Amino acid sequence: TYEAWWGFSELPVLRKDPEHGIASESARRHIMEVTRRWMDPDGDGDPRDGVDGWRLDVPNEVPLTFWHEWCRNVRAINPEALIIGEIWERADQWLDGRAFDGVMNYEFAKPAIRWVIDRNNKITPTALDQALAQLRLAYPAECTYAMMNLVDSHDTDRVASMAKNPDRVYNQGNREQEGAAYDATKPGPAEYAKQRLLALLQMTYVGAPMVYYGDETGMWGSNDPNNRKPMLWEDLLPYEDPQETIDPAMLAHYRAVIGLRRAHPALRTGSFRTVLTDDAQDTWVFVRSGGGEEVLVALCASERPATVDLSALGDGWEDAFGTPGFADDGLRKATVPAIGGRVWFRRTK
């Protein structure tokens, strides 16, 4: 019998020390050998047959000095390997060049959810813009572009269910088995519209968007275990519960916004500039620039369409989704749909 992580007997707690993080030299050596085995399986010095990176579970529960040593070992094997840590708060000390390339960006999710989903605790687009600007300033640019931008995960309720249960502290009060007053019934059109807006934000903002499996098909659920239901597959339909079905409109939306990001290099590696925060109309507008193009993004979290004047940005903009059916008058009166967004682009060379 030994002390175990959170009481799970198969996960013994290792003795720590300030110099090496993990006190046992043999334990550290074993972890390094396991790491090398996965990154260079045949040991020939060529990592192309190994894993391309690591996502580290709760690394903050192991002293940072260990991760400095481990990350040096990883980069010696493959300098291009991606290292992502599961850090739920600000991660400045983990992103100083000695440890991780990025983290699961819950600090992106928290203000995004408060802007799009919350009602009583809702923040303005100005507050959202400021919160995300602080993160971009806090981290090196290389890390900002590698951040795993998510809105939900295996450790939270699903985003559609978040939308049906607004005004909660992120990832709190969402476990039905703990007696939480949580509405776990299937979300409706209003909730799914908010999910689609958040997906568009993920695909157009700076960083690496992460979609939790099944969100793209309309899956919903409170926290573990209801957020971990089996994936919905079209060839397995119909399911025993007639509500468990694939939402074709949601799937089409995810395909469209992911396709948008793939089609425009500015959305992947371009710079970011805020153009407008209109709190009265609950609208946020920004430009991504790079790769020989500019992409203009206007997002509206209001239940009413917004009309914004973007004519100061000049001419030559094309709607990224084709003919939208809006009379924009050269962006002098650009209409942004309620709980939705518009995207335009133009070539710069």
Side-chain angles (χ1 to χ4, degrees), residues 4 86 113 137 290 300:
E86 182 203 16
I113 294 296
L137 290 171
C300 175

Side-chain angles (χ1 to χ4, degrees), residues 36 136 196 208:
R36 179 174 291 277
R136 294 195 304 273
R196 287 193 293 271

Side-chain angles (χ1 to χ4, degrees), residues 41-64:
D42 59 7
D44 67 350
D46 183 349
R48 287 180 294 179
D49 55 349
V51 300
D52 295 318
W54 299 86
R55 179 268 184 193
L56 303 167
D57 199 68
V58 290
N60 52 299
E61 298 197 18
V62 176
L64 185 54

Side-chain angles (χ1 to χ4, degrees), residues 28-42:
R28 296 197 309 275
R29 184 173 63 250
H30 177 66
I31 294 171
M32 301 305 174
E33 290 171 352
V34 170
T35 300
R36 179 174 291 277
R37 169 66 179 80
W38 280 99
M39 296 187 68
D40 183 9
D42 59 7

Side-chain angles (χ1 to χ4, degrees), residues 79-316:
E80 298 300 316
L82 179 67
I83 305 173
I84 300 291
E86 182 203 16
I87 306 291
W88 284 69
E89 309 296 337
R90 276 278 295 269
D92 305 48
Q93 64 178 330
W94 303 91
L95 301 174
D96 64 355
R98 295 182 294 168
F100 307 154
D101 300 305
V103 297
M104 296 180 72
N105 200 6
Y106 287 106
E107 291 300 291
F108 162 84
K110 294 169 188 176
I113 294 296
R114 289 192 65 188
W115 179 51
V116 174
I117 286 177
D118 280 359
R119 298 170 186 167
N120 298 329
N121 297 330
K122 180 179 175 63
I123 62 173
T124 64
T126 296
L128 172 69
D129 182 60
Q130 291 173 345
L132 296 181
Q134 288 176 1
L135 284 182
R136 294 195 304 273
L137 290 171
Y139 303 148
E142 296 87 345
C143 295
T144 294
Y145 282 84
M147 298 298 277
M148 187 181 285
N149 290 343
L150 72 169
V151 290
D152 59 355
S153 75
H154 63 291
D155 284 325
T156 75
D157 41 347
R158 285 190 178 269
V159 62
S161 291
M162 290 182 193
K164 199 160 188 178
N165 296 267
D167 298 317
R168 295 169 182 267
V169 175
Y170 188 83
N171 201 37
Q172 293 188 21
N174 56 12
R175 290 181 180 270
E176 295 174 78
Q177 65 269 38
E178 295 177 357
Y182 192 92
D183 185 350
T185 59
K186 185 173 183 177
E191 289 79 33
Y192 282 126
K194 293 181 178 182
Q195 178 181 334
R196 287 193 293 271
L197 174 55
L198 285 164
L200 178 57
L201 169 57
Q202 283 182 283
M203 298 304 156
T204 54
Y205 187 64
V206 183
M210 189 206 83
V211 177
Y212 184 44
Y213 84 92
D215 283 353
E216 74 279 12
T217 66
M219 291 180 67
W220 75 94
S222 58
N223 205 339
D224 190 9
N226 296 317
N227 60 349
R228 305 189 189 197
K229 298 175 186 176
M231 176 65 182
L232 296 178
W233 298 108
E234 187 173 358
D235 57 348
L236 297 180
L237 295 174
Y239 287 87
E240 183 177 346
D241 182 350
Q243 289 190 312
E244 298 281 3
T245 186
I246 293 173
D247 183 336
M250 185 66 74
L251 186 56
H253 178 76
Y254 273 87
R255 284 174 170 160
V257 296
I258 292 171
L260 176 73
R261 186 179 181 88
R262 288 174 60 88
H264 293 282
L267 293 179
R268 302 192 300 274
T269 59
S271 63
F272 179 94
R273 175 170 62 91
T274 299
V275 172
L276 174 70
T277 56
D278 187 333
D279 293 349
Q281 296 191 91
D282 209 7
T283 300
W284 185 37
V285 184
F286 55 85
V287 168
R288 304 290 309 279
S289 302
E293 65 175 0
E294 292 180 308
V295 178
L296 173 62
V297 182
L299 306 176
C300 175
S302 171
E303 295 182 356
R304 294 183 296 179
T307 302
V308 292
D309 183 355
L310 303 175
S311 59
L313 295 172
D315 299 321

